[in-house]
Amino acid sequence: MSDLIDDFYSARNLLYLGAYPQALAALSTLPPTNETELKSLQYRAHLSLGNRAQVLREIPPTTSNATLQALRSLALQDATQLEDLLTADNLQLPTFTVIAAHTLLAAGQKDEALRLLDMHPRNLECTTLTVAIYLGMDRLDLAQKLVARVRGWAEDAPVAQLAEAWTALVEGGQRYNEAYYVFMELAQASAVDTARLYCALAVSKMHLGQYDEATSHLQSALEADPNDPDTLANLVVCNSLTQSSEARARYLEQLAQVAPNHPFLRDLQQADARFDDALAAMSK
């Protein structure tokens, strides 16, 4: 575990937990001994806060720094700009690799993102992002195996605990409660109130059928960030489960405004299209 701790460890953990202003504050106190790592974390926090224009303004298109070029591609949501950057030398850099993988994921290129991340099997962020991708691909078996391996060398790291809790939510059953307590412990230990953590707590409660508590956590998430897309998506789900159609419609409209390309909306549109196709086929 000690080999995972460096000057940026605390700031990274705040970033993973969704505490972006706190991460920026922590980074502002660090000396620029590793300027690329410092700037990459700062710009990732700014992107998460929606400050895309600032990132594009501060990273010139002519920069020779591959990691910053990848960040610019991420800000533009343009994976094509990565094509000339995916060299053997650049892919030896874990930070570059993580940012490139995020850019590819935004473009729907999961297999290519996994190929890059697999180059750094002992990098904590690369491995936990791989877990998240496996879960999104319905490959619980692969996620479980990777979580078990990470547990052997980074069990106490907050991002490793997050990955284990995500996996527990997919496993289901008694693991729903375990996931809830992991998220709660992370929130208490970090002393930050973030939409990401409140949303995770709410998802755990929804799986347990405790919708009033889920709604309470989601309202706390809204107070932390009124336009957090994942919170809005889960409010749509929670209000669907409780048959609150008016609230569901309101949050769905807000989500479409703040994040029109959110995966939840894409899935919903695809489901609607399949339903319409089925109705059309039945009417023939």
Side-chain angles (χ1 to χ4, degrees):
M1 178 68 184
S2 60
D3 62 330
L4 300 174
I5 299 175
D6 59 13
D7 291 342
F8 301 100
Y9 183 75
S10 295
R12 282 197 198 96
N13 287 333
L14 290 167
L15 191 70
Y16 301 147
L17 296 173
Y20 308 119
Q22 295 91 329
L24 286 169
L27 290 165
S28 70
T29 66
L30 297 178
T33 51
N34 184 340
E35 190 171 6
T36 295
E37 187 68 18
L38 178 64
K39 285 186 175 297
S40 70
L41 289 169
Q42 288 174 327
Y43 288 141
R44 288 173 67 187
H46 278 300
L47 286 175
S48 296
L49 287 168
N51 301 333
R52 175 175 170 270
Q54 177 182 341
V55 173
L56 292 173
R57 185 171 61 249
E58 294 185 11
I59 303 177
T62 55
T63 181
S64 60
N65 186 304
T67 300
L68 297 184
Q69 283 181 296
L71 268 164
R72 187 174 172 83
S73 297
L74 179 60
L76 290 168
Q77 297 284 282
D78 185 2
T80 63
Q81 295 199 9
L82 289 175
E83 292 173 1
D84 295 333
L85 298 176
L86 300 179
T87 65
D89 287 343
N90 289 341
L91 290 171
Q92 291 180 16
L93 307 171
T95 298
F96 169 86
T97 302
V98 165
I99 295 166
H102 277 293
T103 307
L104 291 166
L105 284 174
Q109 300 179 38
K110 292 180 181 179
D111 290 339
E112 181 64 9
L114 286 171
R115 185 185 71 81
L116 301 190
L117 295 169
D118 191 52
M119 297 179 183
H120 297 278
R122 290 281 296 186
N123 178 272
L124 191 52
E125 188 169 6
C126 287
T127 53
T128 53
L129 180 54
T130 300
V131 170
I133 296 172
Y134 283 152
L135 293 174
M137 297 171 67
D138 294 325
R139 290 305 308 268
L140 176 60
D141 56 329
L142 296 178
Q144 288 171 321
K145 290 176 182 177
L146 191 51
V147 165
R149 288 206 299 271
V150 172
R151 195 183 299 128
W153 52 274
E155 183 177 17
D156 295 331
V159 70
Q161 294 176 47
L162 280 173
E164 184 148 11
W166 298 332
T167 305
L169 284 177
V170 178
E171 290 172 340
Q174 185 57 36
R175 296 281 279 161
Y176 290 141
N177 266 320
E178 293 176 25
Y180 179 83
Y181 288 116
V182 169
F183 293 132
M184 182 63 76
E185 288 171 7
L186 284 169
Q188 293 172 345
S190 61
V192 293
D193 296 325
T194 71
R196 176 174 292 182
L197 284 173
Y198 280 127
C199 200
L201 291 167
V203 170
S204 304
K205 288 298 184 182
M206 277 194 281
H207 279 301
L208 290 165
Q210 299 172 9
Y211 302 123
D212 287 345
E213 291 182 53
T215 300
S216 177
H217 286 309
L218 288 169
Q219 290 301 323
S220 295
L222 272 186
E223 291 173 13
D225 184 352
N227 290 313
D228 178 66
D230 290 338
T231 299
L232 294 170
N234 279 293
L235 278 163
V236 172
V237 173
C238 193
N239 281 285
S240 297
L241 293 168
T242 57
Q243 299 183 340
S244 303
S245 56
E246 185 177 337
R248 177 189 182 278
R250 184 172 68 252
Y251 291 123
L252 188 61
E253 181 181 359
Q254 187 179 350
L255 176 61
Q257 290 173 349
V258 302
N261 296 318
H262 194 276
F264 176 79
L265 291 178
R266 290 203 300 266
D267 290 345
L268 200 59
Q269 289 164 359
Q270 290 170 2
D272 286 343
R274 288 194 296 270
F275 181 74
D276 290 342
D277 289 344
L279 281 181
M282 291 173 63
S283 64
K284 291 180 179 179

